[in-house]
Amino acid sequence: MMEGTQLTQAETGNRYDVFHTDCPARDVVDHVTSKWGIWVLISLRSNDLRFYELRDSIRGISEKMLAQTLRALVQDGLLWREVEPTTPPQVTYGLTEFGQEIGEPLTDLFNRITQRLPPRSAG
């Protein structure tokens, strides 16, 4: 079973007012730019991953925070979620087309930062 929705505009040409507190696009921006949202999107940039693989790839994130972040990003339409009916259930996450579009500039930013930092000293 796959889950995920995407924000759409009511009318072509209408833009969301992201500076209004009730704007749904503002919530998406908040989720994407949250501490863990960015890391989830970057982690999924090249492969679909299961929950435990995401947890292991993002050092320092708790299972509770990962679950909350994934839930928000699925609800925003950035990720899809597939549950395999096994015991225990295996849950896999991946980027939707919308998530890929949003993840590309984040990956570019990540690459620019890591390429521009001075080399790490051994020790």
Side-chain angles (χ1 to χ4, degrees):
M1 156 173 45
M2 295 187 69
E3 301 173 17
T5 59
Q6 186 170 331
L7 290 176
T8 57
Q9 294 174 319
E11 298 175 357
T12 305
N14 259 358
R15 296 191 54 95
Y16 288 103
D17 181 6
V18 295
F19 293 101
H20 192 280
T21 57
D22 293 336
C23 178
R26 188 173 182 157
D27 290 336
V28 175
V29 170
D30 287 345
H31 296 151
V32 168
T33 60
S34 72
K35 177 179 181 179
W36 301 115
I38 290 173
W39 292 113
V40 167
L41 292 170
I42 289 173
S43 294
L44 291 169
R45 70 186 179 268
S46 55
N47 292 316
D48 302 337
L49 297 172
R50 293 203 169 119
F51 181 89
Y52 75 90
E53 292 171 321
L54 274 166
R55 183 199 62 212
D56 293 347
S57 72
I58 305 171
R59 305 264 168 104
I61 192 168
S62 68
E63 286 192 13
K64 178 182 177 184
M65 188 53 64
L66 178 58
Q68 288 176 355
T69 302
L70 290 168
R71 192 174 308 116
L73 294 174
V74 167
Q75 185 174 356
D76 293 340
L78 296 165
L79 303 182
W80 54 262
R81 176 181 187 263
E82 185 174 8
V83 180
E84 296 175 39
T86 58
T87 305
Q90 293 183 339
V91 184
T92 304
Y93 294 89
L95 296 175
T96 63
E97 184 178 330
F98 183 35
Q100 290 171 356
E101 288 177 29
I102 299 300
E104 285 175 16
L106 294 176
T107 298
D108 185 47
L109 176 65
F110 174 80
N111 290 338
R112 287 175 186 244
I113 290 169
T114 57
Q115 290 168 1
R116 296 285 299 201
L117 287 175
R120 292 182 72 171
S121 59

Short mmCIF file of all heavy atoms in Angstrom, two decimals, residues 43-110:
data_model
loop_
_atom_site.label_atom_id
_atom_site.label_comp_id
_atom_site.label_asym_id
_atom_site.label_seq_id
_atom_site.Cartn_x
_atom_site.Cartn_y
_atom_site.Cartn_z
N SER A 43 19.16 11.59 2.39
CA SER A 43 19.41 10.15 2.53
C SER A 43 18.70 9.34 1.45
O SER A 43 19.19 8.30 1.02
CB SER A 43 18.97 9.64 3.90
OG SER A 43 19.77 10.20 4.90
N LEU A 44 17.54 9.82 1.00
CA LEU A 44 16.75 9.09 0.01
C LEU A 44 17.05 9.53 -1.42
O LEU A 44 16.40 9.06 -2.35
CB LEU A 44 15.25 9.27 0.31
CG LEU A 44 14.75 8.59 1.57
CD1 LEU A 44 13.34 9.04 1.91
CD2 LEU A 44 14.83 7.08 1.43
N ARG A 45 18.06 10.37 -1.62
CA ARG A 45 18.32 10.93 -2.95
C ARG A 45 18.69 9.90 -3.99
O ARG A 45 18.44 10.09 -5.17
CB ARG A 45 19.37 12.03 -2.88
CG ARG A 45 20.77 11.56 -2.58
CD ARG A 45 21.70 12.75 -2.41
NE ARG A 45 23.05 12.35 -2.11
CZ ARG A 45 23.55 12.19 -0.89
NH1 ARG A 45 22.78 12.41 0.16
NH2 ARG A 45 24.80 11.84 -0.71
N SER A 46 19.27 8.78 -3.59
CA SER A 46 19.69 7.80 -4.60
C SER A 46 19.06 6.43 -4.43
O SER A 46 19.10 5.63 -5.36
CB SER A 46 21.21 7.68 -4.62
OG SER A 46 21.70 7.36 -3.34
N ASN A 47 18.49 6.14 -3.28
CA ASN A 47 17.90 4.82 -3.03
C ASN A 47 16.66 4.93 -2.16
O ASN A 47 16.59 5.78 -1.28
CB ASN A 47 18.88 3.90 -2.28
CG ASN A 47 20.07 3.52 -3.11
OD1 ASN A 47 19.95 3.19 -4.27
ND2 ASN A 47 21.26 3.59 -2.51
N ASP A 48 15.71 4.01 -2.39
CA ASP A 48 14.61 3.83 -1.46
C ASP A 48 15.17 3.09 -0.26
O ASP A 48 16.03 2.21 -0.42
CB ASP A 48 13.49 3.01 -2.09
CG ASP A 48 12.96 3.64 -3.38
OD1 ASP A 48 13.12 4.87 -3.55
OD2 ASP A 48 12.40 2.91 -4.20
N LEU A 49 14.73 3.42 0.94
CA LEU A 49 15.27 2.79 2.14
C LEU A 49 14.15 2.37 3.08
O LEU A 49 13.09 3.00 3.13
CB LEU A 49 16.20 3.76 2.88
CG LEU A 49 17.46 4.21 2.14
CD1 LEU A 49 18.17 5.30 2.93
CD2 LEU A 49 18.40 3.04 1.90
N ARG A 50 14.43 1.33 3.85
CA ARG A 50 13.53 0.91 4.90
C ARG A 50 13.77 1.78 6.13
O ARG A 50 14.79 2.44 6.25
CB ARG A 50 13.76 -0.56 5.23
CG ARG A 50 13.35 -1.45 4.08
CD ARG A 50 13.06 -2.85 4.58
NE ARG A 50 12.42 -3.60 3.51
CZ ARG A 50 12.93 -4.69 2.97
NH1 ARG A 50 14.06 -5.18 3.42
NH2 ARG A 50 12.28 -5.31 2.01
N PHE A 51 12.81 1.74 7.03
CA PHE A 51 12.87 2.59 8.22
C PHE A 51 14.20 2.42 8.95
O PHE A 51 14.87 3.40 9.26
CB PHE A 51 11.70 2.25 9.16
CG PHE A 51 11.67 3.11 10.40
CD1 PHE A 51 10.99 4.31 10.40
CD2 PHE A 51 12.33 2.71 11.55
CE1 PHE A 51 10.96 5.10 11.54
CE2 PHE A 51 12.31 3.50 12.68
CZ PHE A 51 11.62 4.70 12.68
N TYR A 52 14.60 1.18 9.22
CA TYR A 52 15.82 0.96 10.00
C TYR A 52 17.06 1.42 9.23
O TYR A 52 18.04 1.86 9.83
CB TYR A 52 15.95 -0.50 10.46
CG TYR A 52 16.35 -1.46 9.37
CD1 TYR A 52 17.68 -1.73 9.12
CD2 TYR A 52 15.40 -2.10 8.59
CE1 TYR A 52 18.06 -2.61 8.12
CE2 TYR A 52 15.76 -2.99 7.59
CZ TYR A 52 17.10 -3.23 7.36
OH TYR A 52 17.46 -4.10 6.37
N GLU A 53 17.02 1.34 7.89
CA GLU A 53 18.15 1.81 7.09
C GLU A 53 18.27 3.33 7.18
O GLU A 53 19.38 3.87 7.28
CB GLU A 53 17.99 1.39 5.63
CG GLU A 53 18.10 -0.11 5.41
CD GLU A 53 17.72 -0.55 4.01
OE1 GLU A 53 16.75 0.00 3.43
OE2 GLU A 53 18.41 -1.45 3.50
N LEU A 54 17.14 4.01 7.16
CA LEU A 54 17.14 5.46 7.34
C LEU A 54 17.66 5.82 8.73
O LEU A 54 18.49 6.71 8.88
CB LEU A 54 15.74 6.03 7.16
CG LEU A 54 15.32 6.36 5.76
CD1 LEU A 54 13.82 6.59 5.68
CD2 LEU A 54 16.08 7.56 5.23
N ARG A 55 17.17 5.12 9.73
CA ARG A 55 17.61 5.38 11.12
C ARG A 55 19.12 5.21 11.24
O ARG A 55 19.79 6.04 11.85
CB ARG A 55 16.89 4.42 12.08
CG ARG A 55 17.23 4.67 13.54
CD ARG A 55 16.90 3.49 14.41
NE ARG A 55 17.69 2.34 13.98
CZ ARG A 55 17.29 1.08 14.05
NH1 ARG A 55 16.10 0.78 14.52
NH2 ARG A 55 18.08 0.10 13.65
N ASP A 56 19.66 4.17 10.62
CA ASP A 56 21.10 3.92 10.71
C ASP A 56 21.92 4.90 9.87
O ASP A 56 23.07 5.19 10.20
CB ASP A 56 21.42 2.49 10.27
CG ASP A 56 20.88 1.44 11.24
OD1 ASP A 56 20.48 1.82 12.37
OD2 ASP A 56 20.85 0.26 10.87
N SER A 57 21.33 5.44 8.80
CA SER A 57 22.08 6.36 7.94
C SER A 57 22.11 7.79 8.48
O SER A 57 22.98 8.57 8.13
CB SER A 57 21.52 6.35 6.52
OG SER A 57 20.27 7.01 6.45
N ILE A 58 21.15 8.13 9.33
CA ILE A 58 21.07 9.49 9.88
C ILE A 58 21.48 9.42 11.35
O ILE A 58 20.66 9.17 12.23
CB ILE A 58 19.65 10.08 9.74
CG1 ILE A 58 19.19 10.03 8.28
CG2 ILE A 58 19.62 11.50 10.28
CD1 ILE A 58 17.73 10.39 8.08
N ARG A 59 22.73 9.64 11.59
CA ARG A 59 23.25 9.53 12.96
C ARG A 59 22.63 10.60 13.86
O ARG A 59 22.50 11.75 13.46
CB ARG A 59 24.77 9.70 12.96
CG ARG A 59 25.49 8.75 12.05
CD ARG A 59 25.98 7.54 12.79
NE ARG A 59 26.42 6.51 11.88
CZ ARG A 59 27.68 6.22 11.62
NH1 ARG A 59 28.63 6.91 12.19
NH2 ARG A 59 27.97 5.24 10.80
N GLY A 60 22.23 10.20 15.05
CA GLY A 60 21.72 11.13 16.04
C GLY A 60 20.21 11.28 16.07
O GLY A 60 19.67 11.93 16.96
N ILE A 61 19.49 10.69 15.12
CA ILE A 61 18.04 10.81 15.10
C ILE A 61 17.42 9.68 15.92
O ILE A 61 17.86 8.53 15.83
CB ILE A 61 17.47 10.83 13.66
CG1 ILE A 61 16.00 11.26 13.67
CG2 ILE A 61 17.67 9.50 12.96
CD1 ILE A 61 15.45 11.57 12.29
N SER A 62 16.43 10.01 16.72
CA SER A 62 15.73 8.98 17.49
C SER A 62 14.66 8.35 16.60
O SER A 62 14.24 8.93 15.60
CB SER A 62 15.07 9.59 18.72
OG SER A 62 14.01 10.45 18.34
N GLU A 63 14.23 7.16 16.96
CA GLU A 63 13.17 6.50 16.19
C GLU A 63 11.89 7.33 16.20
O GLU A 63 11.20 7.43 15.19
CB GLU A 63 12.90 5.09 16.73
CG GLU A 63 13.99 4.11 16.37
CD GLU A 63 13.61 2.67 16.64
OE1 GLU A 63 12.42 2.38 16.87
OE2 GLU A 63 14.52 1.83 16.60
N LYS A 64 11.59 7.94 17.34
CA LYS A 64 10.38 8.76 17.45
C LYS A 64 10.46 9.96 16.50
O LYS A 64 9.51 10.26 15.77
CB LYS A 64 10.21 9.25 18.89
CG LYS A 64 9.01 10.15 19.08
CD LYS A 64 8.92 10.66 20.51
CE LYS A 64 7.76 11.63 20.64
NZ LYS A 64 7.68 12.20 21.99
N MET A 65 11.60 10.64 16.48
CA MET A 65 11.74 11.82 15.62
C MET A 65 11.75 11.42 14.15
O MET A 65 11.18 12.12 13.31
CB MET A 65 13.02 12.59 15.98
CG MET A 65 13.12 13.92 15.28
SD MET A 65 11.68 15.01 15.45
CE MET A 65 11.67 15.32 17.18
N LEU A 66 12.37 10.28 13.83
CA LEU A 66 12.37 9.81 12.45
C LEU A 66 10.94 9.49 12.01
O LEU A 66 10.51 9.89 10.92
CB LEU A 66 13.26 8.58 12.29
CG LEU A 66 13.29 7.97 10.89
CD1 LEU A 66 13.74 8.98 9.84
CD2 LEU A 66 14.20 6.74 10.87
N ALA A 67 10.18 8.82 12.86
CA ALA A 67 8.79 8.47 12.52
C ALA A 67 7.96 9.74 12.30
O ALA A 67 7.18 9.82 11.34
CB ALA A 67 8.18 7.61 13.62
N GLN A 68 8.12 10.74 13.16
CA GLN A 68 7.38 12.00 13.01
C GLN A 68 7.76 12.72 11.71
O GLN A 68 6.91 13.23 11.00
CB GLN A 68 7.65 12.92 14.20
CG GLN A 68 7.01 12.48 15.48
CD GLN A 68 7.40 13.37 16.66
OE1 GLN A 68 8.21 14.28 16.54
NE2 GLN A 68 6.81 13.09 17.81
N THR A 69 9.06 12.75 11.42
CA THR A 69 9.54 13.43 10.21
C THR A 69 9.03 12.72 8.97
O THR A 69 8.55 13.37 8.03
CB THR A 69 11.08 13.48 10.22
OG1 THR A 69 11.51 14.17 11.40
CG2 THR A 69 11.62 14.18 8.98
N LEU A 70 9.11 11.38 8.95
CA LEU A 70 8.63 10.62 7.80
C LEU A 70 7.13 10.83 7.60
O LEU A 70 6.67 11.02 6.47
CB LEU A 70 8.95 9.14 7.98
CG LEU A 70 10.43 8.77 7.89
CD1 LEU A 70 10.64 7.34 8.36
CD2 LEU A 70 10.96 8.97 6.48
N ARG A 71 6.38 10.80 8.67
CA ARG A 71 4.93 10.99 8.59
C ARG A 71 4.60 12.34 7.95
O ARG A 71 3.75 12.43 7.07
CB ARG A 71 4.32 10.89 9.99
CG ARG A 71 2.82 10.78 10.02
CD ARG A 71 2.26 10.55 11.43
NE ARG A 71 2.90 9.43 12.10
CZ ARG A 71 3.64 9.54 13.22
NH1 ARG A 71 3.81 10.71 13.80
NH2 ARG A 71 4.20 8.48 13.76
N ALA A 72 5.29 13.39 8.39
CA ALA A 72 5.04 14.73 7.85
C ALA A 72 5.41 14.81 6.37
O ALA A 72 4.66 15.38 5.57
CB ALA A 72 5.82 15.78 8.64
N LEU A 73 6.54 14.23 5.98
CA LEU A 73 7.00 14.31 4.59
C LEU A 73 6.12 13.47 3.67
O LEU A 73 5.91 13.83 2.50
CB LEU A 73 8.46 13.90 4.49
CG LEU A 73 9.45 14.86 5.18
CD1 LEU A 73 10.87 14.28 5.15
CD2 LEU A 73 9.41 16.25 4.58
N VAL A 74 5.58 12.35 4.18
CA VAL A 74 4.62 11.56 3.38
C VAL A 74 3.34 12.36 3.20
O VAL A 74 2.79 12.47 2.10
CB VAL A 74 4.34 10.19 4.05
CG1 VAL A 74 3.12 9.52 3.42
CG2 VAL A 74 5.56 9.29 3.95
N GLN A 75 2.85 12.96 4.27
CA GLN A 75 1.62 13.75 4.22
C GLN A 75 1.78 14.94 3.26
O GLN A 75 0.84 15.30 2.56
CB GLN A 75 1.25 14.23 5.61
CG GLN A 75 -0.07 14.95 5.67
CD GLN A 75 -0.47 15.29 7.10
OE1 GLN A 75 0.21 14.94 8.06
NE2 GLN A 75 -1.57 15.99 7.24
N ASP A 76 2.97 15.52 3.20
CA ASP A 76 3.23 16.65 2.31
C ASP A 76 3.38 16.23 0.85
O ASP A 76 3.42 17.08 -0.03
CB ASP A 76 4.51 17.38 2.73
CG ASP A 76 4.40 18.08 4.06
OD1 ASP A 76 3.25 18.35 4.51
OD2 ASP A 76 5.45 18.36 4.67
N GLY A 77 3.50 14.93 0.60
CA GLY A 77 3.64 14.45 -0.77
C GLY A 77 5.07 14.39 -1.26
O GLY A 77 5.32 14.22 -2.46
N LEU A 78 6.03 14.52 -0.36
CA LEU A 78 7.44 14.48 -0.74
C LEU A 78 7.99 13.05 -0.76
O LEU A 78 8.94 12.76 -1.47
CB LEU A 78 8.27 15.33 0.22
CG LEU A 78 7.93 16.82 0.18
CD1 LEU A 78 8.52 17.53 1.38
CD2 LEU A 78 8.41 17.44 -1.11
N LEU A 79 7.39 12.19 0.06
CA LEU A 79 7.81 10.79 0.15
C LEU A 79 6.62 9.89 -0.11
O LEU A 79 5.48 10.26 0.17
CB LEU A 79 8.34 10.45 1.55
CG LEU A 79 9.50 11.24 2.13
CD1 LEU A 79 9.86 10.69 3.51
CD2 LEU A 79 10.69 11.23 1.21
N TRP A 80 6.91 8.69 -0.61
CA TRP A 80 5.90 7.64 -0.63
C TRP A 80 6.32 6.62 0.42
O TRP A 80 7.47 6.55 0.83
CB TRP A 80 5.74 7.00 -2.00
CG TRP A 80 7.00 6.46 -2.61
CD1 TRP A 80 7.79 7.08 -3.54
CD2 TRP A 80 7.63 5.20 -2.35
NE1 TRP A 80 8.86 6.29 -3.86
CE2 TRP A 80 8.78 5.13 -3.14
CE3 TRP A 80 7.33 4.13 -1.51
CZ2 TRP A 80 9.64 4.03 -3.12
CZ3 TRP A 80 8.19 3.04 -1.49
CH2 TRP A 80 9.33 3.00 -2.29
N ARG A 81 5.34 5.88 0.88
CA ARG A 81 5.54 4.88 1.94
C ARG A 81 4.86 3.61 1.50
O ARG A 81 3.69 3.61 1.13
CB ARG A 81 4.92 5.40 3.23
CG ARG A 81 4.95 4.46 4.39
CD ARG A 81 4.24 5.14 5.58
NE ARG A 81 4.36 4.36 6.79
CZ ARG A 81 3.43 3.54 7.24
NH1 ARG A 81 2.31 3.37 6.57
NH2 ARG A 81 3.61 2.86 8.35
N GLU A 82 5.60 2.50 1.54
CA GLU A 82 5.03 1.21 1.16
C GLU A 82 5.22 0.23 2.31
O GLU A 82 6.32 0.08 2.83
CB GLU A 82 5.72 0.68 -0.10
CG GLU A 82 5.11 -0.59 -0.62
CD GLU A 82 5.71 -1.01 -1.95
OE1 GLU A 82 6.70 -0.42 -2.39
OE2 GLU A 82 5.17 -1.96 -2.52
N VAL A 83 4.12 -0.41 2.69
CA VAL A 83 4.14 -1.38 3.79
C VAL A 83 3.98 -2.77 3.20
O VAL A 83 2.99 -3.04 2.51
CB VAL A 83 3.02 -1.09 4.80
CG1 VAL A 83 3.05 -2.11 5.93
CG2 VAL A 83 3.12 0.33 5.34
N GLU A 84 4.95 -3.63 3.47
CA GLU A 84 4.84 -5.03 3.05
C GLU A 84 4.21 -5.80 4.21
O GLU A 84 4.69 -5.74 5.34
CB GLU A 84 6.22 -5.59 2.73
CG GLU A 84 6.88 -4.91 1.54
CD GLU A 84 8.30 -5.41 1.30
OE1 GLU A 84 8.52 -6.63 1.45
OE2 GLU A 84 9.15 -4.57 0.99
N PRO A 85 3.12 -6.53 3.93
CA PRO A 85 2.38 -7.21 5.00
C PRO A 85 3.10 -8.47 5.48
O PRO A 85 2.66 -9.58 5.26
CB PRO A 85 1.04 -7.53 4.35
CG PRO A 85 1.35 -7.65 2.90
CD PRO A 85 2.48 -6.70 2.63
N THR A 86 4.24 -8.27 6.13
CA THR A 86 4.99 -9.38 6.71
C THR A 86 4.95 -9.21 8.22
O THR A 86 4.46 -8.23 8.74
CB THR A 86 6.46 -9.37 6.21
OG1 THR A 86 7.04 -8.10 6.57
CG2 THR A 86 6.54 -9.56 4.72
N THR A 87 5.50 -10.18 8.93
CA THR A 87 5.58 -10.07 10.38
C THR A 87 7.04 -10.05 10.77
O THR A 87 7.73 -11.04 10.56
CB THR A 87 4.88 -11.26 11.07
OG1 THR A 87 3.54 -11.31 10.58
CG2 THR A 87 4.87 -11.10 12.56
N PRO A 88 7.56 -8.95 11.30
CA PRO A 88 6.91 -7.65 11.43
C PRO A 88 6.81 -6.96 10.06
O PRO A 88 7.54 -7.33 9.13
CB PRO A 88 7.85 -6.88 12.36
CG PRO A 88 9.19 -7.47 12.12
CD PRO A 88 8.94 -8.92 11.79
N PRO A 89 5.93 -5.97 9.92
CA PRO A 89 5.79 -5.29 8.63
C PRO A 89 7.09 -4.61 8.22
O PRO A 89 7.81 -4.07 9.06
CB PRO A 89 4.71 -4.23 8.89
CG PRO A 89 4.04 -4.64 10.14
CD PRO A 89 5.02 -5.45 10.93
N GLN A 90 7.40 -4.67 6.94
CA GLN A 90 8.57 -3.97 6.41
C GLN A 90 8.06 -2.71 5.70
O GLN A 90 7.23 -2.79 4.81
CB GLN A 90 9.34 -4.85 5.44
CG GLN A 90 9.98 -6.04 6.12
CD GLN A 90 10.80 -6.88 5.16
OE1 GLN A 90 10.62 -6.83 3.95
NE2 GLN A 90 11.71 -7.64 5.71
N VAL A 91 8.57 -1.57 6.13
CA VAL A 91 8.12 -0.29 5.60
C VAL A 91 9.27 0.34 4.83
O VAL A 91 10.36 0.51 5.37
CB VAL A 91 7.64 0.65 6.73
CG1 VAL A 91 7.09 1.95 6.15
CG2 VAL A 91 6.59 -0.03 7.59
N THR A 92 9.01 0.67 3.57
CA THR A 92 10.02 1.27 2.70
C THR A 92 9.56 2.68 2.33
O THR A 92 8.38 2.92 2.11
CB THR A 92 10.20 0.43 1.43
OG1 THR A 92 10.54 -0.91 1.82
CG2 THR A 92 11.30 0.98 0.54
N TYR A 93 10.52 3.60 2.26
CA TYR A 93 10.26 4.99 1.90
C TYR A 93 11.08 5.37 0.68
O TYR A 93 12.19 4.88 0.49
CB TYR A 93 10.63 5.94 3.06
CG TYR A 93 9.77 5.75 4.27
CD1 TYR A 93 10.11 4.82 5.25
CD2 TYR A 93 8.61 6.48 4.43
CE1 TYR A 93 9.30 4.64 6.36
CE2 TYR A 93 7.80 6.31 5.54
CZ TYR A 93 8.15 5.39 6.50
OH TYR A 93 7.35 5.20 7.59
N GLY A 94 10.54 6.27 -0.14
CA GLY A 94 11.25 6.79 -1.29
C GLY A 94 10.72 8.17 -1.63
O GLY A 94 9.68 8.60 -1.13
N LEU A 95 11.44 8.86 -2.49
CA LEU A 95 11.04 10.19 -2.92
C LEU A 95 9.99 10.13 -4.01
O LEU A 95 10.13 9.35 -4.96
CB LEU A 95 12.26 10.96 -3.45
CG LEU A 95 13.38 11.27 -2.46
CD1 LEU A 95 14.55 11.92 -3.19
CD2 LEU A 95 12.89 12.17 -1.34
N THR A 96 8.97 10.94 -3.89
CA THR A 96 8.01 11.13 -4.98
C THR A 96 8.69 12.05 -6.00
O THR A 96 9.78 12.59 -5.77
CB THR A 96 6.71 11.78 -4.48
OG1 THR A 96 7.04 13.10 -3.98
CG2 THR A 96 6.04 10.95 -3.41
N GLU A 97 8.01 12.30 -7.10
CA GLU A 97 8.55 13.24 -8.09
C GLU A 97 8.73 14.62 -7.45
O GLU A 97 9.74 15.29 -7.66
CB GLU A 97 7.61 13.32 -9.29
CG GLU A 97 8.14 14.20 -10.41
CD GLU A 97 7.20 14.23 -11.61
OE1 GLU A 97 6.49 13.24 -11.86
OE2 GLU A 97 7.19 15.28 -12.29
N PHE A 98 7.74 15.02 -6.66
CA PHE A 98 7.82 16.29 -5.94
C PHE A 98 9.01 16.29 -4.98
O PHE A 98 9.77 17.26 -4.91
CB PHE A 98 6.50 16.52 -5.20
CG PHE A 98 6.36 17.82 -4.45
CD1 PHE A 98 6.91 18.99 -4.91
CD2 PHE A 98 5.63 17.86 -3.27
CE1 PHE A 98 6.76 20.20 -4.22
CE2 PHE A 98 5.47 19.05 -2.57
CZ PHE A 98 6.04 20.21 -3.05
N GLY A 99 9.20 15.20 -4.26
CA GLY A 99 10.33 15.08 -3.35
C GLY A 99 11.67 15.14 -4.06
O GLY A 99 12.63 15.72 -3.55
N GLN A 100 11.74 14.54 -5.24
CA GLN A 100 12.98 14.60 -6.03
C GLN A 100 13.27 16.04 -6.45
O GLN A 100 14.42 16.49 -6.39
CB GLN A 100 12.87 13.70 -7.26
CG GLN A 100 12.87 12.24 -6.92
CD GLN A 100 12.54 11.35 -8.11
OE1 GLN A 100 12.23 11.83 -9.20
NE2 GLN A 100 12.60 10.05 -7.91
N GLU A 101 12.23 16.76 -6.87
CA GLU A 101 12.41 18.17 -7.26
C GLU A 101 12.91 19.01 -6.09
O GLU A 101 13.78 19.86 -6.26
CB GLU A 101 11.10 18.76 -7.77
CG GLU A 101 10.66 18.25 -9.11
CD GLU A 101 9.31 18.83 -9.53
OE1 GLU A 101 8.97 19.96 -9.11
OE2 GLU A 101 8.60 18.13 -10.27
N ILE A 102 12.35 18.77 -4.92
CA ILE A 102 12.76 19.53 -3.73
C ILE A 102 14.13 19.08 -3.26
O ILE A 102 14.94 19.88 -2.80
CB ILE A 102 11.72 19.36 -2.59
CG1 ILE A 102 10.35 19.88 -3.03
CG2 ILE A 102 12.18 20.02 -1.30
CD1 ILE A 102 10.31 21.34 -3.41
N GLY A 103 14.42 17.80 -3.38
CA GLY A 103 15.69 17.25 -2.90
C GLY A 103 16.90 17.65 -3.73
O GLY A 103 18.01 17.71 -3.21
N GLU A 104 16.70 17.93 -5.02
CA GLU A 104 17.84 18.27 -5.88
C GLU A 104 18.60 19.50 -5.39
O GLU A 104 19.82 19.45 -5.26
CB GLU A 104 17.37 18.46 -7.33
CG GLU A 104 17.06 17.15 -8.03
CD GLU A 104 16.49 17.35 -9.43
OE1 GLU A 104 16.62 18.47 -9.98
OE2 GLU A 104 15.92 16.39 -9.95
N PRO A 105 17.92 20.63 -5.12
CA PRO A 105 18.70 21.77 -4.62
C PRO A 105 19.30 21.53 -3.24
O PRO A 105 20.37 22.06 -2.93
CB PRO A 105 17.70 22.94 -4.61
CG PRO A 105 16.36 22.35 -4.83
CD PRO A 105 16.53 20.98 -5.38
N LEU A 106 18.65 20.71 -2.42
CA LEU A 106 19.23 20.39 -1.11
C LEU A 106 20.50 19.57 -1.27
O LEU A 106 21.50 19.80 -0.58
CB LEU A 106 18.22 19.62 -0.25
CG LEU A 106 16.97 20.37 0.17
CD1 LEU A 106 16.03 19.45 0.93
CD2 LEU A 106 17.33 21.59 1.00
N THR A 107 20.48 18.62 -2.20
CA THR A 107 21.67 17.81 -2.48
C THR A 107 22.77 18.69 -3.04
O THR A 107 23.94 18.56 -2.67
CB THR A 107 21.33 16.67 -3.45
OG1 THR A 107 20.35 15.83 -2.83
CG2 THR A 107 22.54 15.85 -3.81
N ASP A 108 22.40 19.63 -3.93
CA ASP A 108 23.38 20.55 -4.49
C ASP A 108 24.00 21.40 -3.37
O ASP A 108 25.22 21.59 -3.33
CB ASP A 108 22.72 21.44 -5.55
CG ASP A 108 23.71 22.33 -6.25
OD1 ASP A 108 24.79 21.84 -6.67
OD2 ASP A 108 23.42 23.54 -6.40
N LEU A 109 23.17 21.90 -2.48
CA LEU A 109 23.66 22.68 -1.34
C LEU A 109 24.61 21.84 -0.48
O LEU A 109 25.70 22.29 -0.12
CB LEU A 109 22.48 23.18 -0.50
CG LEU A 109 22.82 23.94 0.78
CD1 LEU A 109 23.54 25.25 0.46
CD2 LEU A 109 21.55 24.19 1.58
N PHE A 110 24.20 20.62 -0.17
CA PHE A 110 25.02 19.70 0.62
C PHE A 110 26.37 19.49 -0.06
O PHE A 110 27.43 19.57 0.58
CB PHE A 110 24.26 18.37 0.76
CG PHE A 110 25.02 17.28 1.43
CD1 PHE A 110 25.14 17.22 2.80
CD2 PHE A 110 25.62 16.27 0.67
CE1 PHE A 110 25.84 16.20 3.42
CE2 PHE A 110 26.32 15.25 1.28
CZ PHE A 110 26.43 15.22 2.65
#
